[in-house]
Amino acid sequence: MILYDFRCANGHGFEAVVDEQTATDPLCPTCGAAGARLISTPTVGGSCSAGLGEGELPQTWTAADRGDRETVDRWRAQALRRERLTERFPEIAGDRRPVVAHEGVFEQRPLRAGEDVDHALREAQEISLDHADRQAFERRNG
């Protein structure tokens, strides 16, 4: 089942679920006119940040605005967001260098800015082979 946006000849916009891509377009629920699919327009924008690392959070009472409750709560919320992110993506825990390659052979072991490329490539290839061997074993013995 696929959710599409439609517009009828009378200008009413509506969403409808169709069984498959080639299914006929539904009628407008407002006026009963034939609906026509609208071209999807993805929204791209915004920004992303891993947030502050553990070493960048305030380490003293004075750095936390002398224990001001709102300041402490704000820092705690930032620390918890970062903690949840590093639980999901352990490769970013403690290493804030930009990732310059994360696909292909570097999928399991990202290449970071400033690394020795030859050494990183050898490590990534070993990890990739180990990962492929594990997957093959699981498929055979699943």
Side-chain angles (χ1 to χ4, degrees):
M1 303 202 99
I2 307 167
L3 178 66
Y4 285 104
D5 289 320
F6 294 90
R7 184 166 316 279
C8 73
N10 297 324
H12 300 119
F14 61 97
E15 292 181 336
V17 175
V18 295
D19 290 332
E20 57 186 40
Q21 193 172 7
T22 58
T24 58
D25 293 342
L27 300 177
C28 175
T30 304
C31 67
R37 278 181 213 181
L38 298 176
I39 296 173
S40 296
T41 54
T43 302
V44 179
S47 64
C48 179
S49 170
L52 299 174
E54 191 175 303
E56 298 168 292
L57 294 172
Q59 304 296 313
T60 65
W61 179 69
T62 54
D65 200 16
R66 301 194 182 284
D68 175 65
R69 173 56 54 202
E70 287 181 31
T71 303
V72 171
D73 288 345
R74 183 173 43 86
W75 284 115
R76 181 178 291 123
Q78 284 190 16
L80 288 173
R81 276 194 304 274
R82 176 62 185 215
E83 186 177 309
R84 280 189 232 109
L85 184 67
T86 56
E87 285 172 0
R88 287 183 58 206
F89 304 102
E91 66 271 13
I92 65 168
D95 194 345
R96 304 270 302 160
R97 294 176 294 166
V99 173
V100 294
H102 60 86
E103 294 176 327
V105 71
F106 291 107
E107 184 176 6
Q108 300 297 318
R109 194 263 189 224
L111 174 65
R112 295 190 173 275
E115 283 189 292
D116 178 330
V117 176
D118 292 333
H119 177 67
L121 179 60
R122 282 191 300 276
E123 281 186 4
Q125 288 171 330
E126 289 174 14
I127 291 170
S128 182
L129 288 172
D130 290 344
H131 184 70
D133 289 344
R134 271 194 309 276
Q135 286 181 327
F137 177 80
E138 289 172 3
R139 279 193 301 272
R140 284 191 308 267
N141 301 311

